[in-house]
Amino acid sequence: MVRVLTSRRWLGALAVALAFAVAAFFLGRWQWHRYEAKSARADRIHSHYDAKPQPLDDVLGASPMPLEREWTRVTMQGRYAADETLLVRNRPFDGVYGYEVLVPFEEATGRSVLVDRGWVANAKNAETLPDVVPAPSDEVTVTGWLRRSEPSLGKKLPQGQVASINLGEAGAQSGRQFLGAYVLLEVERRSDGTAPDRPTALDAPDTDLGPHQAYAFQWWLAMVAGFVLVWFGARREYREGLEQSSSDGAGPPRAPRPKKVRIWDEEDG
């Protein structure tokens, strides 16, 4: 059997099996890292999403917000700069593409934070902007969740539009220095407690972990598959070689099989 496995043919097969095992190991690690990232994100959402809102000044500064604070629920008071509204293009909602509506919000302290007020559907054609429910002009109390700045897509769009929720690009268009995260709107209230009209509220974040953990285990279990196939293939070749040698008379003679004793033979004896 060792002679068969060390032949050129089966050494090549073992090399292929080894290469597959290495690839399966790294594919399993990739799936595991994706699982860990989704699990950490779900933990952040579960710990922050329904928590008591904190004053924005206690949580957020000018520096980019750390990842562990994402989805922190905050509250703030001030006024919208409705004339500086920005539209984020190509944002899906329930399978339909449209825009997310960004409006700068001025706190009573003078700081500016970008607020995502929700979603509106595309107009009938790309050259026409959709009708957007304007932000209230009076003072409101805003409650929402902190989100990190999105990467820039490097696209130049007409004034009033952006390709992603990138705080630097939004600040360049509005001439403002925004705080280190934007606020995804949950609710806004006037001083009399009423809620003004707003664009369609975005869905709650998805916390499903997906199949990545299972895929990781599958890849790691598959690491031995190539070696198993090589073993069975070489074993079959070895047995076939023994049978061929026996039929050609080259190998040692096989011991004769014991003759079966039939019942009637015993009775005749």
Side-chain angles (χ1 to χ4, degrees):
M1 185 66 181
V2 174
R3 184 179 300 173
V4 174
L5 284 172
T6 55
S7 66
R8 178 179 298 180
R9 174 187 175 187
W10 289 107
L11 284 177
L14 284 170
V16 173
L18 178 61
F20 175 78
V22 172
F25 172 75
F26 284 106
L27 286 169
R29 284 188 61 183
W30 172 61
Q31 290 288 351
W32 184 260
H33 290 327
R34 294 189 68 186
Y35 161 73
E36 287 184 322
K38 283 201 168 187
S39 179
R41 177 179 180 273
D43 289 342
R44 288 194 301 273
I45 293 172
H46 291 316
S47 62
H48 294 317
Y49 196 78
D50 293 320
K52 182 179 178 181
Q54 305 177 47
L56 181 70
D57 294 344
D58 295 347
V59 180
L60 189 62
S63 301
M65 180 184 66
L67 180 60
E68 60 269 17
R69 290 187 179 177
E70 189 167 33
W71 293 106
T72 298
R73 195 162 173 240
V74 295
T75 184
M76 56 188 180
Q77 288 184 318
R79 295 176 182 271
Y80 284 109
D83 57 339
E84 299 174 22
T85 297
L86 299 173
L87 298 179
V88 193
R89 299 180 63 169
N90 297 322
R91 308 296 278 206
F93 181 79
D94 286 346
V96 178
Y97 276 85
Y99 300 82
E100 287 183 36
V101 182
L102 308 178
V103 187
F105 186 86
E106 297 177 349
E107 285 191 287
T109 58
R111 305 194 309 171
S112 295
V113 61
L114 194 62
V115 177
D116 186 341
R117 297 191 70 232
W119 178 90
V120 293
N122 284 333
K124 292 183 178 180
N125 56 67
E127 291 76 24
T128 305
L129 292 178
D131 293 328
V132 178
V133 178
S137 58
D138 50 334
E139 185 171 294
V140 291
T141 299
V142 169
T143 302
W145 300 275
L146 292 179
R147 300 296 315 276
R148 282 159 55 93
S149 176
E150 296 178 358
S152 170
L153 300 182
K155 295 181 179 180
K156 291 186 177 181
L157 298 178
Q159 183 68 25
Q161 299 181 48
V162 289
S164 66
I165 308 179
N166 180 272
L167 295 178
E169 293 180 347
Q173 284 216 35
S174 61
R176 295 175 179 270
Q177 181 66 44
F178 289 116
L179 297 181
Y182 72 94
V183 174
L184 177 61
L185 178 64
E186 178 187 9
V187 66
E188 51 198 8
R189 300 284 183 188
R190 291 190 170 97
S191 57
D192 59 3
T194 60
D197 293 336
R198 57 168 295 184
T200 302
L202 299 177
D203 289 333
D206 182 15
T207 56
D208 181 60
L209 300 183
H212 304 295
Q213 185 184 44
Y215 286 165
F217 289 136
Q218 288 175 9
W219 279 118
W220 288 333
L221 290 174
M223 289 174 61
V224 301
F227 297 107
V228 171
L229 291 175
V230 169
W231 168 259
F232 279 106
R235 184 168 175 265
R236 179 179 179 182
E237 183 175 307
Y238 170 71
R239 288 188 170 185
E240 290 176 350
L242 287 181
E243 292 177 358
Q244 184 67 29
S245 298
S246 177
S247 63
D248 293 343
R254 293 188 177 182
R257 295 181 180 179
K259 184 179 180 181
K260 293 183 179 180
V261 179
R262 296 171 292 185
I263 297 177
W264 50 84
D265 291 335
E266 292 180 352
E267 292 176 352
D268 293 341

